Amino acid sequence: MNMSKIPLGNWVDSFVDWITVAFAGLFSFFTNIIDGLLNFIVEVLSVGPPILLIIVLALLVTYTSRWPLGIFTLLSLLLIDNLGYWESTIQTLAIVLVSGFFTILIGIPIGIWCAQSKTVQKIVTPILDFMQTMPAFVYLIPSILFFGIGVVPGIVASFIFAIAPTIRMTNLGIQEVPRELIEASDAFGSTASQKLFKVQLPLATPTILAGINQSIMLALSMVVTASLVGAPGLGADVYRAVSQINVGQGFEAGLSIVIIAIILDRITQNIRKPAYEHLISRKTILSIAAALIVVSTLVLVFAKENTVKENATGIGAQTDYEVIGIEPGAGLMKLANNALKNYELTNWTLVEGSSAAMVAELKKAYENKEPIIVTGWSPHWMFSSFDLKYLDDPNNIFGGAEDINTIVRKGLKEDAPGANTILDQFFWKPSDMEDVMVDIANGVDPAKAAEKWIQTNPDKTAKWTKGAQAGNGESINLVYVAWDTEIASTNVIGKVLEQHGYNVTLSQVEVGPMFAGVANGSADAMVGAWLPSTHLDYYNTYKNDFIDLGPNLTGTKNGLVVPEYMDIDSIEDLK
Ligand code: PBE
């Protein structure tokens, strides 16, 4: 059938673009509220030494769910602290509490409304189905555009993903209230609100709480996803472990998430009928909890007043002391962390996320002429699309120009000699790579952009394929990370191999898996090893198990990048 594609994606794009601009004020208002609430919770939770909060939580779990679970809580939280994940745990708890809070605040009223009106229920139900089945990742994309990268888009995406059970169970709980009771309350002449607050809601509470419990568990299940756009916490630790193939760290952070899940689950499940209610009333516990929060807040305020006011107009204050980073496993992130240490920028944080999220953030700030600092590298199309500059690096932490090497698995030369020759002869210039990158950045499909470059540069590709035996449909699996540079190079070399008779697949992976894949032979080749310093660790770990075919490009650069309109020139100016 020859029907042209319905531009559904384009429509959604334009719609999101429109919302981003039209509601910019509203979004920054929400961002500030959510960010403020989150920071407040994090600060309250970390007001004393960890052991204090650990004891409080253990006592709370004991109260709701008996002493054996209280002891479990005590020991397991001490374990988390001992393993070094306490700060992350607090971040994660705060994220879950904030999404939980908004879930309750918005979910219960909607649930009540559904219970009262069949029409509302008919409209809301399919929306909830949609929200729950749409892969949660998808919400992250517009969330970044609306709320920037960091914890806020993560919380918003978790909220959308997690709210459904609260709405559904509130609705269900109210509808399940026996008819006779409703009739009785009507007979006594109670008003609609009396009926709701004195009869329906109290009877529906167990069901509603079950819904909230589920919502909180769903929000917790989103923490790893949320870390892709820069949400800190245990999720980010897991993501970092995946991208660096750090099995031990992955297990430790994962275990911490399991522990937090058990604790939150038991508290929310039993809060309505605490195990030791006969000893201490719920009211007393609530008052103690409230008192603790008030005291911590007071301590906080007092501590704040005693710290010297920082220079509120400085570059740090304007950018929230944040450097916008990329994938946690990237070599550039390690260099940037070293730079923060070396230049003693102790109050700065390097936000982890992804290259795409970094570029989105840069674009947004650039359009509004706002200050922003990102981790950048060249060749990169962003230098031709925006006026940018590298910050001087007097201590040379980011190192000088590097090469990008091609690395293949052992045995490729024997199995596919032609492909090996082509990969070996693959060499181009930063300006070549930039041509491809610019096209891709302008929306051209990477495979098409690669094809176009090959067509316009036959002399260059002829050198790569010179003397290479044609393939016979052998499959070649190229691995790459979704960095703009590697998307361009991998697509180009992939197309050249394909045109030379090979059956090429491109697999997008994280950094660690890219190296490990070629080393263990599950992938055939990669063309994105930045050397000698960016990927040195990965290179050294696996160097005995793969074959390095040398550079395919020379003259790259890494560093901290800012828009030209910013009034700083050196990393030292960040102090
Ligand atoms: N980069 C681009 C990568 C290598 C390619 C600089 C973002 C990194 O930092 O690992």
Side-chain angles (χ1 to χ4, degrees):
M1 210 168 49
N2 206 357
M3 206 175 90
S4 61
K5 178 181 178 231
I6 302 174
L8 186 57
N10 293 352
W11 292 337
V12 175
D13 280 347
S14 331
F15 179 65
V16 167
D17 281 347
W18 175 74
I19 298 191
T20 312
V21 177
F23 295 98
L26 191 68
F27 289 133
S28 71
F29 173 73
F30 280 132
T31 310
N32 290 336
I33 291 197
I34 298 176
D35 231 359
L37 189 61
L38 189 95
N39 287 337
F40 174 73
I41 296 183
V42 170
E43 284 181 12
V44 167
L45 291 180
S46 31
V47 98
I51 185 73
L52 268 185
L53 182 61
I54 294 181
I55 292 178
V56 170
L57 283 175
L59 288 176
L60 185 63
V61 174
T62 309
Y63 177 67
T64 59
S65 321
R66 302 190 175 279
W67 63 267
L69 216 72
I71 291 182
F72 165 82
T73 305
L74 182 70
L75 294 180
S76 57
L77 290 181
L78 284 173
L79 175 70
I80 293 183
D81 187 28
N82 169 277
L83 296 176
Y85 291 88
W86 188 249
E87 253 175 61
S88 300
T89 300
I90 290 199
Q91 296 276 2
T92 297
L93 264 179
I95 292 175
V96 174
L97 287 179
V98 173
S99 353
F101 170 75
F102 284 106
T103 311
I104 296 173
L105 192 74
I106 298 172
I108 294 186
I110 297 184
I112 295 176
W113 200 20
C114 286
Q116 287 173 341
S117 151
K118 275 262 158 332
T119 327
V120 174
Q121 189 185 331
K122 270 195 197 129
I123 297 171
V124 170
T125 309
I127 297 181
L128 292 184
D129 293 340
F130 180 88
M131 284 179 10
Q132 271 191 304
T133 14
M134 183 66 124
F137 270 78
V138 177
Y139 300 127
L140 291 177
I141 314 170
S143 288
I144 303 173
L145 300 177
F146 299 160
F147 304 102
I149 78 168
V151 73
V152 179
I155 290 187
V156 173
S158 321
F159 162 80
I160 300 177
F161 185 65
I163 196 173
T166 299
I167 300 181
R168 284 191 219 276
M169 299 292 260
T170 304
N171 175 19
L172 182 74
I174 294 180
Q175 299 213 11
E176 272 177 356
V177 172
R179 270 259 300 285
E180 304 81 68
L181 292 176
I182 300 293
E183 279 164 11
S185 82
D186 283 340
F188 282 111
S190 50
T191 63
S193 71
Q194 278 173 335
K195 192 166 67 186
L196 178 66
F197 286 108
K198 300 236 152 93
V199 182
Q200 290 172 311
L201 282 183
L203 285 167
T205 309
T207 320
I208 296 179
L209 280 176
I212 293 176
N213 169 279
Q214 280 184 29
S215 288
I216 288 185
M217 292 297 118
L218 284 179
L220 186 63
S221 73
M222 275 287 288
V223 294
V224 178
T225 313
S227 71
L228 296 183
V229 291
L234 294 170
D237 295 335
V238 171
Y239 176 34
R240 197 175 316 118
V242 173
S243 84
Q244 300 172 345
I245 328 201
N246 194 333
V247 185
Q249 189 195 324
F251 181 78
E252 288 174 357
L255 182 69
S256 308
I257 295 183
V258 173
I259 292 172
I260 297 303
I262 296 177
I263 294 173
L264 285 176
D265 180 58
R266 293 308 182 270
I267 295 180
T268 47
Q269 237 179 54
N270 301 332
I271 194 89
R272 209 181 64 85
K273 274 207 175 13
Y276 297 130
E277 198 177 8
H278 54 284
L279 300 177
I280 317 173
S281 76
R282 266 200 302 174
K283 274 220 179 87
T284 319
I285 293 292
L286 261 177
S287 337
I288 297 178
L292 281 178
I293 295 176
V294 172
V295 171
S296 327
T297 314
L298 288 180
V299 172
L300 253 179
V301 173
F302 185 73
K304 274 240 168 97
E305 289 210 330
N306 282 319
T307 52
V308 257
K309 289 256 176 318
E310 291 183 35
N311 175 7
T313 50
I315 194 72
Q318 290 170 29
T319 54
D320 268 341
Y321 292 94
E322 280 177 354
V323 173
I324 308 299
I326 54 171
E327 290 81 2
L332 180 53
M333 292 295 274
K334 193 166 170 203
L335 298 174
N337 264 321
N338 291 346
L340 292 187
K341 272 196 214 102
N342 183 280
Y343 290 94
E344 289 171 13
L345 301 169
T346 37
N347 43 357
W348 287 75
T349 35
L350 178 63
V351 182
E352 297 177 336
S354 66
S355 303
M358 178 276 286
V359 170
E361 191 73 357
L362 175 66
K363 195 169 163 207
K364 201 168 116 185
Y366 193 84
E367 277 161 9
N368 300 321
K369 288 265 173 295
E370 280 163 4
I372 182 166
I373 305 166
V374 303
T375 53
W377 67 97
S378 7
H380 199 292
W381 59 269
M382 65 185 188
F383 290 95
S384 42
S385 303
F386 312 124
D387 269 328
L388 304 171
K389 59 184 175 193
Y390 279 100
L391 291 181
D392 288 342
D393 173 19
N395 301 352
N396 199 27
I397 303 301
F398 286 96
E402 295 199 338
D403 302 337
I404 308 182
N405 283 24
T406 302
I407 289 180
V408 299
R409 71 168 166 86
K410 285 189 168 164
L412 182 71
K413 194 173 176 189
E414 292 71 40
D415 300 342
N420 192 74
T421 309
I422 295 176
L423 284 160
D424 199 9
Q425 296 178 151
F426 169 42
F427 188 86
W428 59 348
K429 292 213 187 72
S431 56
D432 295 322
M433 189 187 233
E434 243 158 42
D435 289 346
V436 184
M437 268 194 274
V438 168
D439 276 347
I440 299 175
N442 288 335
V444 180
D445 177 68
K448 294 255 158 60
E451 235 163 82
K452 179 179 146 201
W453 187 88
I454 293 170
Q455 255 164 29
T456 40
N457 293 280
D459 45 324
K460 288 186 180 147
T461 52
K463 284 193 192 139
W464 308 347
T465 52
K466 198 169 151 215
Q469 196 178 312
N472 215 346
E474 293 96 333
S475 34
I476 300 288
N477 183 10
L478 300 178
V479 266
Y480 71 105
V481 182
W483 296 313
D484 304 73
T485 24
E486 278 52 40
I487 295 175
S489 55
T490 312
N491 271 281
V492 167
I493 193 68
K495 265 276 154 335
V496 171
L497 287 168
E498 209 170 274
Q499 293 174 356
H500 219 70
Y502 292 94
N503 181 6
V504 180
T505 9
L506 309 187
S507 316
Q508 187 202 316
V509 293
E510 290 293 331
V511 201
M514 172 170 78
F515 277 87
V518 177
N520 71 20
S522 53
D524 295 300
M526 57 183 266
V527 292
W530 287 49
L531 295 164
S533 42
T534 310
H535 293 152
L536 184 67
D537 290 351
Y538 296 112
Y539 189 85
N540 283 341
T541 310
Y542 299 106
K543 66 175 174 221
N544 296 327
D545 300 316
F546 56 51
I547 292 161
D548 182 356
L549 296 181
N552 57 57
L553 182 142
T554 54
T556 67
K557 184 173 167 67
N558 282 316
L560 296 188
V561 172
V562 300
E564 215 35 274
Y565 57 72
M566 278 175 72
D567 206 13
I568 52 170
D569 296 302
S570 162
I571 304 182
E572 293 204 302
D573 296 342
L574 300 180
K575 273 191 197 150

PDB file of all heavy atoms in Angstrom, residues 326-327 329-333 355 376-377 483 485-486 511 528 530 534-535 557-558, ligand 1:
ATOM      1  N   ILE A 326      26.732  13.977  31.587  1.00  0.00           N
ATOM      2  CA  ILE A 326      26.126  13.022  30.641  1.00  0.00           C
ATOM      3  C   ILE A 326      26.024  11.648  31.306  1.00  0.00           C
ATOM      4  O   ILE A 326      25.856  11.568  32.514  1.00  0.00           O
ATOM      5  CB  ILE A 326      26.927  12.979  29.328  1.00  0.00           C
ATOM      6  CG1 ILE A 326      28.401  12.693  29.607  1.00  0.00           C
ATOM      7  CG2 ILE A 326      26.788  14.294  28.595  1.00  0.00           C
ATOM      8  CD1 ILE A 326      29.223  12.421  28.363  1.00  0.00           C
ATOM      9  N   GLU A 327      26.139  10.568  30.542  1.00  0.00           N
ATOM     10  CA  GLU A 327      26.039   9.218  31.087  1.00  0.00           C
ATOM     11  C   GLU A 327      27.072   9.030  32.197  1.00  0.00           C
ATOM     12  O   GLU A 327      28.245   9.368  32.021  1.00  0.00           O
ATOM     13  CB  GLU A 327      26.298   8.166  30.006  1.00  0.00           C
ATOM     14  CG  GLU A 327      25.221   8.039  28.956  1.00  0.00           C
ATOM     15  CD  GLU A 327      25.331   9.119  27.876  1.00  0.00           C
ATOM     16  OE1 GLU A 327      26.263   9.939  27.938  1.00  0.00           O
ATOM     17  OE2 GLU A 327      24.462   9.137  26.985  1.00  0.00           O
ATOM     18  N   GLY A 329      28.766   6.625  33.157  1.00  0.00           N
ATOM     19  CA  GLY A 329      29.943   5.814  32.879  1.00  0.00           C
ATOM     20  C   GLY A 329      30.926   6.485  31.919  1.00  0.00           C
ATOM     21  O   GLY A 329      32.014   5.972  31.693  1.00  0.00           O
ATOM     22  N   ALA A 330      30.543   7.627  31.349  1.00  0.00           N
ATOM     23  CA  ALA A 330      31.393   8.259  30.341  1.00  0.00           C
ATOM     24  C   ALA A 330      32.725   8.677  30.948  1.00  0.00           C
ATOM     25  O   ALA A 330      32.799   9.099  32.097  1.00  0.00           O
ATOM     26  CB  ALA A 330      30.690   9.467  29.742  1.00  0.00           C
ATOM     27  N   GLY A 331      33.775   8.576  30.139  1.00  0.00           N
ATOM     28  CA  GLY A 331      35.094   8.987  30.607  1.00  0.00           C
ATOM     29  C   GLY A 331      35.094  10.458  30.976  1.00  0.00           C
ATOM     30  O   GLY A 331      35.719  10.883  31.952  1.00  0.00           O
ATOM     31  N   LEU A 332      34.355  11.229  30.191  1.00  0.00           N
ATOM     32  CA  LEU A 332      34.265  12.660  30.427  1.00  0.00           C
ATOM     33  C   LEU A 332      33.749  12.974  31.838  1.00  0.00           C
ATOM     34  O   LEU A 332      34.157  13.951  32.459  1.00  0.00           O
ATOM     35  CB  LEU A 332      33.317  13.243  29.370  1.00  0.00           C
ATOM     36  CG  LEU A 332      33.027  14.722  29.364  1.00  0.00           C
ATOM     37  CD1 LEU A 332      34.290  15.541  29.342  1.00  0.00           C
ATOM     38  CD2 LEU A 332      32.163  15.067  28.152  1.00  0.00           C
ATOM     39  N   MET A 333      32.864  12.126  32.349  1.00  0.00           N
ATOM     40  CA  MET A 333      32.320  12.358  33.685  1.00  0.00           C
ATOM     41  C   MET A 333      33.404  12.170  34.738  1.00  0.00           C
ATOM     42  O   MET A 333      33.458  12.875  35.736  1.00  0.00           O
ATOM     43  CB  MET A 333      31.156  11.405  33.955  1.00  0.00           C
ATOM     44  CG  MET A 333      29.954  11.691  33.116  1.00  0.00           C
ATOM     45  SD  MET A 333      29.242  13.292  33.491  1.00  0.00           S
ATOM     46  CE  MET A 333      28.167  12.854  34.862  1.00  0.00           C
ATOM     47  N   SER A 355      23.635  12.134  27.350  1.00  0.00           N
ATOM     48  CA  SER A 355      24.074  13.157  26.410  1.00  0.00           C
ATOM     49  C   SER A 355      22.874  13.912  25.849  1.00  0.00           C
ATOM     50  O   SER A 355      22.898  15.139  25.718  1.00  0.00           O
ATOM     51  CB  SER A 355      24.841  12.513  25.260  1.00  0.00           C
ATOM     52  OG  SER A 355      25.921  11.795  25.766  1.00  0.00           O
ATOM     53  N   GLY A 376      31.366  18.968  27.811  1.00  0.00           N
ATOM     54  CA  GLY A 376      31.257  18.924  26.357  1.00  0.00           C
ATOM     55  C   GLY A 376      32.462  18.284  25.710  1.00  0.00           C
ATOM     56  O   GLY A 376      33.488  18.064  26.356  1.00  0.00           O
ATOM     57  N   TRP A 377      32.313  17.957  24.451  1.00  0.00           N
ATOM     58  CA  TRP A 377      33.425  17.375  23.719  1.00  0.00           C
ATOM     59  C   TRP A 377      33.301  17.730  22.245  1.00  0.00           C
ATOM     60  O   TRP A 377      32.221  18.063  21.765  1.00  0.00           O
ATOM     61  CB  TRP A 377      33.460  15.861  23.910  1.00  0.00           C
ATOM     62  CG  TRP A 377      32.306  15.117  23.302  1.00  0.00           C
ATOM     63  CD1 TRP A 377      32.277  14.499  22.090  1.00  0.00           C
ATOM     64  CD2 TRP A 377      31.004  14.911  23.882  1.00  0.00           C
ATOM     65  NE1 TRP A 377      31.053  13.921  21.880  1.00  0.00           N
ATOM     66  CE2 TRP A 377      30.257  14.159  22.963  1.00  0.00           C
ATOM     67  CE3 TRP A 377      30.404  15.300  25.084  1.00  0.00           C
ATOM     68  CZ2 TRP A 377      28.935  13.791  23.200  1.00  0.00           C
ATOM     69  CZ3 TRP A 377      29.080  14.929  25.322  1.00  0.00           C
ATOM     70  CH2 TRP A 377      28.375  14.173  24.390  1.00  0.00           C
ATOM     71  N   TRP A 483      26.318   8.543  22.074  1.00  0.00           N
ATOM     72  CA  TRP A 483      26.934   9.866  22.032  1.00  0.00           C
ATOM     73  C   TRP A 483      26.835  10.318  20.587  1.00  0.00           C
ATOM     74  O   TRP A 483      26.978   9.498  19.672  1.00  0.00           O
ATOM     75  CB  TRP A 483      28.412   9.792  22.422  1.00  0.00           C
ATOM     76  CG  TRP A 483      28.669   9.355  23.823  1.00  0.00           C
ATOM     77  CD1 TRP A 483      28.049   9.812  24.947  1.00  0.00           C
ATOM     78  CD2 TRP A 483      29.628   8.381  24.267  1.00  0.00           C
ATOM     79  NE1 TRP A 483      28.570   9.193  26.056  1.00  0.00           N
ATOM     80  CE2 TRP A 483      29.532   8.309  25.661  1.00  0.00           C
ATOM     81  CE3 TRP A 483      30.561   7.573  23.614  1.00  0.00           C
ATOM     82  CZ2 TRP A 483      30.318   7.461  26.427  1.00  0.00           C
ATOM     83  CZ3 TRP A 483      31.346   6.734  24.377  1.00  0.00           C
ATOM     84  CH2 TRP A 483      31.223   6.683  25.774  1.00  0.00           C
ATOM     85  N   THR A 485      28.864  11.755  18.648  1.00  0.00           N
ATOM     86  CA  THR A 485      30.027  11.366  17.853  1.00  0.00           C
ATOM     87  C   THR A 485      29.925   9.909  17.395  1.00  0.00           C
ATOM     88  O   THR A 485      30.162   9.581  16.232  1.00  0.00           O
ATOM     89  CB  THR A 485      31.310  11.521  18.696  1.00  0.00           C
ATOM     90  OG1 THR A 485      30.975  11.442  20.084  1.00  0.00           O
ATOM     91  CG2 THR A 485      31.989  12.826  18.438  1.00  0.00           C
ATOM     92  N   GLU A 486      29.581   9.038  18.315  1.00  0.00           N
ATOM     93  CA  GLU A 486      29.573   7.606  18.010  1.00  0.00           C
ATOM     94  C   GLU A 486      28.363   7.203  17.174  1.00  0.00           C
ATOM     95  O   GLU A 486      28.447   6.272  16.370  1.00  0.00           O
ATOM     96  CB  GLU A 486      29.631   6.797  19.314  1.00  0.00           C
ATOM     97  CG  GLU A 486      31.028   6.635  19.885  1.00  0.00           C
ATOM     98  CD  GLU A 486      31.808   7.934  20.040  1.00  0.00           C
ATOM     99  OE1 GLU A 486      31.196   8.944  20.448  1.00  0.00           O
ATOM    100  OE2 GLU A 486      33.013   7.961  19.753  1.00  0.00           O
ATOM    101  N   VAL A 511      28.517   2.404  28.231  1.00  0.00           N
ATOM    102  CA  VAL A 511      29.960   2.402  27.973  1.00  0.00           C
ATOM    103  C   VAL A 511      30.644   1.088  28.354  1.00  0.00           C
ATOM    104  O   VAL A 511      31.356   0.484  27.543  1.00  0.00           O
ATOM    105  CB  VAL A 511      30.674   3.510  28.769  1.00  0.00           C
ATOM    106  CG1 VAL A 511      31.998   3.812  28.120  1.00  0.00           C
ATOM    107  CG2 VAL A 511      29.818   4.731  28.902  1.00  0.00           C
ATOM    108  N   GLY A 528      34.468   3.643  18.883  1.00  0.00           N
ATOM    109  CA  GLY A 528      34.379   4.798  19.782  1.00  0.00           C
ATOM    110  C   GLY A 528      35.221   4.705  21.033  1.00  0.00           C
ATOM    111  O   GLY A 528      34.764   5.072  22.109  1.00  0.00           O
ATOM    112  N   TRP A 530      37.887   6.314  23.101  1.00  0.00           N
ATOM    113  CA  TRP A 530      38.615   7.576  23.213  1.00  0.00           C
ATOM    114  C   TRP A 530      39.861   7.359  24.049  1.00  0.00           C
ATOM    115  O   TRP A 530      39.789   7.030  25.224  1.00  0.00           O
ATOM    116  CB  TRP A 530      37.737   8.653  23.845  1.00  0.00           C
ATOM    117  CG  TRP A 530      36.662   9.165  22.928  1.00  0.00           C
ATOM    118  CD1 TRP A 530      35.794   8.417  22.198  1.00  0.00           C
ATOM    119  CD2 TRP A 530      36.363  10.536  22.647  1.00  0.00           C
ATOM    120  NE1 TRP A 530      34.961   9.231  21.471  1.00  0.00           N
ATOM    121  CE2 TRP A 530      35.285  10.538  21.741  1.00  0.00           C
ATOM    122  CE3 TRP A 530      36.887  11.756  23.075  1.00  0.00           C
ATOM    123  CZ2 TRP A 530      34.721  11.713  21.253  1.00  0.00           C
ATOM    124  CZ3 TRP A 530      36.328  12.926  22.603  1.00  0.00           C
ATOM    125  CH2 TRP A 530      35.264  12.912  21.690  1.00  0.00           C
ATOM    126  N   THR A 534      40.480   9.310  28.086  1.00  0.00           N
ATOM    127  CA  THR A 534      39.055   9.255  28.430  1.00  0.00           C
ATOM    128  C   THR A 534      38.602   7.845  28.825  1.00  0.00           C
ATOM    129  O   THR A 534      37.931   7.664  29.830  1.00  0.00           O
ATOM    130  CB  THR A 534      38.194   9.751  27.248  1.00  0.00           C
ATOM    131  OG1 THR A 534      38.725  10.991  26.806  1.00  0.00           O
ATOM    132  CG2 THR A 534      36.761   9.933  27.647  1.00  0.00           C
ATOM    133  N   HIS A 535      38.972   6.861  28.022  1.00  0.00           N
ATOM    134  CA  HIS A 535      38.504   5.495  28.308  1.00  0.00           C
ATOM    135  C   HIS A 535      39.605   4.582  28.829  1.00  0.00           C
ATOM    136  O   HIS A 535      39.510   3.358  28.728  1.00  0.00           O
ATOM    137  CB  HIS A 535      37.871   4.892  27.043  1.00  0.00           C
ATOM    138  CG  HIS A 535      36.602   5.574  26.651  1.00  0.00           C
ATOM    139  ND1 HIS A 535      36.146   5.631  25.359  1.00  0.00           N
ATOM    140  CD2 HIS A 535      35.693   6.251  27.394  1.00  0.00           C
ATOM    141  CE1 HIS A 535      35.006   6.317  25.320  1.00  0.00           C
ATOM    142  NE2 HIS A 535      34.728   6.698  26.537  1.00  0.00           N
ATOM    143  N   LYS A 557      38.539  16.723  21.700  1.00  0.00           N
ATOM    144  CA  LYS A 557      38.758  17.528  22.894  1.00  0.00           C
ATOM    145  C   LYS A 557      37.625  17.293  23.882  1.00  0.00           C
ATOM    146  O   LYS A 557      36.481  17.091  23.498  1.00  0.00           O
ATOM    147  CB  LYS A 557      38.823  19.009  22.511  1.00  0.00           C
ATOM    148  CG  LYS A 557      39.152  19.943  23.665  1.00  0.00           C
ATOM    149  CD  LYS A 557      39.371  21.358  23.140  1.00  0.00           C
ATOM    150  CE  LYS A 557      39.397  22.400  24.252  1.00  0.00           C
ATOM    151  NZ  LYS A 557      40.534  22.298  25.159  1.00  0.00           N
ATOM    152  N   ASN A 558      37.967  17.319  25.164  1.00  0.00           N
ATOM    153  CA  ASN A 558      36.991  17.211  26.252  1.00  0.00           C
ATOM    154  C   ASN A 558      37.105  18.442  27.140  1.00  0.00           C
ATOM    155  O   ASN A 558      38.187  19.000  27.258  1.00  0.00           O
ATOM    156  CB  ASN A 558      37.309  16.002  27.140  1.00  0.00           C
ATOM    157  CG  ASN A 558      36.882  14.697  26.529  1.00  0.00           C
ATOM    158  OD1 ASN A 558      35.797  14.595  25.987  1.00  0.00           O
ATOM    159  ND2 ASN A 558      37.737  13.696  26.614  1.00  0.00           N
TER     160      ASN A 558
HETATM  161  N1  PBE B   1      32.376  11.379  25.124  1.00  0.00           N
HETATM  162  C1  PBE B   1      32.158  11.196  23.709  1.00  0.00           C
HETATM  163  C2  PBE B   1      32.710  10.019  25.560  1.00  0.00           C
HETATM  164  C3  PBE B   1      33.514   9.483  24.522  1.00  0.00           C
HETATM  165  C4  PBE B   1      32.835   9.976  23.323  1.00  0.00           C
HETATM  166  C5  PBE B   1      33.476  12.317  25.304  1.00  0.00           C
HETATM  167  C6  PBE B   1      31.162  11.832  25.718  1.00  0.00           C
HETATM  168  C7  PBE B   1      33.123   9.797  27.010  1.00  0.00           C
HETATM  169  O1  PBE B   1      33.253  10.772  27.763  1.00  0.00           O
HETATM  170  O2  PBE B   1      33.290   8.662  27.449  1.00  0.00           O
END
